[in-house]
Amino acid sequence: MAEQMGGQGGIDGAGRKDKGGGQNQKKDALVTEITPQSEDFSRWYLDVVRKAELADYTPVKGCMAIRPYGYAIWELIQQGLDKRFKATGHVNAYFPLFIPEKLLTREAEHVEGFSPQVAWVTRGGDEDLEERLAIRPTSEVIIGTMYAKWIKSWRDLPVLINQWANVVRWEKVTRPFLRTTEFLWQEGHTAHETEAEAQEETMKILALYKEFVETELGMPVVDGQKSESEKFAGASRTFSIEALMGDGRALQAGTSHNLGQNFAKAFEIQFQGRDKTVQNAWTTSWGVSTRLIGGVIMTHGDDSGLILPPRIAPYQVVIVPIPRGNWQETVLPKARDIRDALVAQGVRVMLDDRDEYSPGWKYAEWEMRGVPVRLEIGPKDIEKAQVMLARRDTREKLPTAIEGLGAAVLRLLDDIQAALYARALRFREEHTRRVETYDEFKAAMEGRPGFLIAHWCGSGECEAQIKADTQATLRNIPFGSGSSTGPCVRCGQSATVEAWFAKSY
Ligand SMILES: [Zn+2]
């Protein structure tokens, strides 16, 4: 196992230094060094990211190294999404990292929204460039330029392309996974013949994201439409899924944009229609990023560290052999058999056969790293033809017969997946309330309030004032809102819309 890295204090400017001492002392301190959530949620988060070896600080300000354990989670997220994209008719492609300045400035709202965050290349080798190159903050512009070349006729539509890539946004304040200068994501870019088809695509992907995040990550989300001020720069309409983290802050977990004809007009994505007239295409874009990993950490984790939903856990089961007597001749072969049998059933298993660490040490480490199920096996268990299963989420211990173990483990993993979702949903429900008056709103927003649902008149002024007074932003307007009327929580004017507000990441 790799040694715990010392904190560099880089990524949030406040990284905690490891306490001194040799390897063993560091190892012993591993779990106790996680700050309790109740003491400082933000520090707890950073501790978990580093101690669980998900990511680490680097010499590049605001950029993280995703370590193998964290990257394995990302790969499982990628696989789950990629499968769904392809099942809905999308294909993958790849576009350049650089965007010529002239292109980026072509869609006015887009450039205005992104320019404060753009990193520029001004030199190549030892020569100044004639035209600066932006490092993509998102790829509407470069992909739109290519679509203008590729789309000629209504027969070329729809174009349904996704790209797995990195993007760069120059951030002042960063936090691993949640906001980093460079991050990994997928960005879908589609072009359609009609407005209705583009809207259908936008909604289809939002629903796909919701289903994926809830099913695979166990994170309940609220889906709805963003307000004008929170929508994507250049979009006609933006929709989002919003999750609630353990500290009562919201996390925007994914967005899907209906771009109307804005980018088609700016980049001349035109086609000859069925009626032979030249028309602008209707486009969409949508994305989720490595931020989802931050969401998983903050949705499920506890004071002992990470809790991973089984479907995205790099190891779903860790086997810890109990070293009694000549265990390497007796227990270890049995443990290997069990591992092989579980792997054959499709379970991701780690057999921790290191003999330099005690079982107790291993329990604490794998708990901290969030492995859903621990399987303990010792000489006494073998005599009784059983093993001990321990759940990470409830810490329940379940003696289980070796006969039929694979089926029992698969059932248990499903139970844990469902239990994590149910627990997170309960948490969100307990931290969501409806408020009628502005005083009520302000009082609730102090501390750790979660979501507030309130009537809103639709004015950007009220939205901005609410943010200035309480730091809460309008997360989205859930679908189906508008069934009840009431006074706007801020100005008292009649409102038909109910919006969800929260402090957010
Ligand atoms: Zn108002």
Side-chain angles (χ1 to χ4, degrees):
M1 296 297 298
E3 187 182 356
Q4 302 296 311
M5 300 296 289
Q8 299 300 310
I11 208 152
D12 70 333
R16 191 156 76 147
K17 300 287 182 196
D18 270 330
K19 297 188 175 69
Q23 171 89 358
N24 286 338
Q25 195 181 331
K26 273 187 191 171
K27 283 287 187 188
D28 291 342
L30 185 139
V31 173
T32 53
E33 275 192 15
I34 291 179
T35 308
Q37 288 187 339
S38 55
E39 192 182 310
D40 184 339
F41 193 86
S42 161
R43 193 161 298 284
W44 167 85
Y45 175 79
L46 295 171
D47 286 348
V48 171
V49 166
R50 276 185 40 240
K51 300 291 175 188
E53 297 182 359
L54 298 172
D56 204 355
Y57 309 123
T58 68
V60 193
K61 190 176 176 296
C63 292
M64 62 176 171
I66 305 175
R67 301 187 68 173
Y69 194 58
Y71 201 80
I73 297 172
W74 178 238
E75 286 179 315
L76 289 162
I77 290 174
Q78 280 186 306
Q79 287 161 20
L81 281 170
D82 207 62
K83 203 172 62 188
R84 287 167 171 80
F85 294 154
K86 286 173 179 158
T88 46
H90 302 84
V91 289
N92 288 330
Y94 190 79
F95 297 85
L97 171 67
F98 303 117
I99 300 172
E101 182 166 19
K102 272 201 288 293
L103 286 185
L104 195 64
T105 53
R106 220 186 269 178
E107 211 290 328
E109 273 185 32
H110 189 63
V111 68
E112 195 190 322
F114 276 99
S115 65
Q117 290 185 297
V118 173
W120 293 98
V121 178
T122 59
R123 278 174 76 79
D126 52 10
E127 282 174 24
D128 288 333
L129 302 183
E130 278 178 29
E131 181 182 11
R132 295 196 294 175
L133 296 173
I135 301 177
R136 63 177 164 224
T138 178
S139 301
E140 278 73 11
V141 160
I142 191 75
I143 293 178
T145 305
M146 300 315 295
Y147 283 5
K149 288 175 71 170
W150 298 343
I151 298 167
K152 297 293 171 210
S153 150
W154 64 269
R155 292 179 194 84
D156 300 325
L157 295 169
V159 174
L160 306 172
I161 289 180
N162 175 62
Q163 166 171 260
W164 289 98
N166 59 342
V167 284
V168 168
R169 296 179 187 175
W170 217 253
E171 300 283 0
K172 292 195 177 73
V173 181
T174 56
R175 207 190 294 252
F177 294 116
L178 297 173
R179 195 175 293 279
T180 50
T181 297
E182 181 188 4
F183 59 89
L184 304 181
W185 77 345
Q186 59 71 216
E187 47 180 322
H189 295 268
T190 69
H192 306 265
E193 198 181 338
T194 66
E195 182 174 22
E197 282 173 37
Q199 179 62 17
E200 187 191 332
E201 168 77 5
T202 309
M203 291 297 99
K204 183 193 286 181
I205 295 297
L206 192 75
L208 184 157
Y209 284 159
K210 180 174 161 70
E211 184 275 328
F212 171 78
V213 165
E214 293 189 336
T215 307
E216 306 285 318
L217 311 186
M219 263 166 63
V221 292
V222 181
D223 53 340
Q225 184 169 354
K226 286 285 194 188
S227 64
E228 277 298 299
S229 74
E230 298 278 338
K231 78 176 188 192
F232 179 75
S236 293
R237 291 188 284 280
T238 287
F239 302 86
S240 72
I241 49 169
E242 305 278 338
L244 192 65
M245 302 293 99
D247 64 346
R249 284 180 185 262
L251 183 80
Q252 179 179 293
T255 48
S256 186
H257 316 292
N258 183 334
L259 304 176
Q261 291 178 313
N262 303 339
F263 284 86
K265 284 177 183 162
F267 294 92
E268 295 168 358
I269 311 172
Q270 294 176 333
F271 64 96
Q272 191 179 53
R274 291 167 201 261
D275 61 1
K276 308 284 190 225
T277 63
V278 175
Q279 299 171 23
N280 290 302
W282 300 85
T283 66
T284 81
S285 68
W286 28 273
V288 300
S289 72
T290 35
R291 166 169 254 231
L292 288 177
I293 298 175
V296 166
I297 299 168
M298 293 193 293
T299 297
H300 303 299
D302 65 13
D303 282 348
S304 302
L306 193 59
I307 298 179
L308 288 173
R311 284 170 181 260
I312 51 140
Y315 306 125
Q316 297 169 309
V317 175
V318 59
I319 301 176
V320 179
I322 309 300
R324 298 258 159 70
N326 58 341
W327 70 283
Q328 280 169 320
E329 281 78 50
T330 55
V331 178
L332 195 53
K334 194 75 198 165
R336 287 194 182 118
D337 288 348
I338 288 171
R339 176 195 57 194
D340 294 346
L342 289 176
V343 168
Q345 300 219 35
V347 182
R348 295 187 288 274
V349 186
M350 154 65 89
L351 169 57
D352 188 350
D353 57 2
R354 296 173 296 176
D355 60 5
E356 66 269 36
Y357 296 107
S358 69
W361 163 258
K362 292 176 184 177
Y363 297 172
E365 176 169 38
W366 293 114
E367 269 181 15
M368 187 268 293
R369 300 187 78 186
V371 176
V373 174
R374 180 175 73 238
L375 188 159
E376 304 163 14
I377 178 166
K380 281 187 185 148
D381 297 308
I382 293 173
E383 274 169 34
K384 289 188 266 182
Q386 68 171 40
V387 297
M388 186 65 81
L389 298 180
R391 285 175 68 144
R392 170 65 180 89
D393 60 335
T394 60
R395 296 174 187 283
E396 226 176 320
K397 288 211 170 197
L398 311 154
T400 307
I402 290 175
E403 176 87 40
L405 183 63
V409 165
L410 289 171
R411 259 197 318 274
L412 182 57
L413 291 172
D414 282 347
D415 287 352
I416 294 171
Q417 185 79 30
L420 287 176
Y421 177 80
R423 186 160 82 179
L425 183 61
R426 201 159 55 239
F427 178 85
R428 187 186 81 193
E429 283 166 353
E430 286 165 4
H431 291 81
T432 299
R433 47 184 287 215
R434 222 173 219 93
V435 291
E436 304 295 338
T437 71
Y438 201 40
D439 283 342
E440 222 184 317
F441 191 111
K442 285 190 284 194
M445 261 306 153
E446 281 167 22
R448 294 182 172 184
F451 283 121
L452 294 182
I453 307 173
H455 278 103
W456 173 57
C457 64
S459 99
E461 205 177 306
C462 281
E463 191 185 352
Q465 194 59 50
I466 288 169
K467 188 177 176 181
D469 290 342
T470 67
Q471 295 177 349
T473 48
L474 196 161
R475 301 319 304 160
N476 68 28
I477 301 147
F479 300 119
S481 165
S483 48
S484 75
T485 52
C488 169
V489 73
R490 164 77 190 97
C491 70
Q493 304 220 9
S494 161
T496 55
V497 159
E498 276 190 318
W500 286 51
F501 294 86
K503 291 178 183 169
S504 76
Y505 280 94

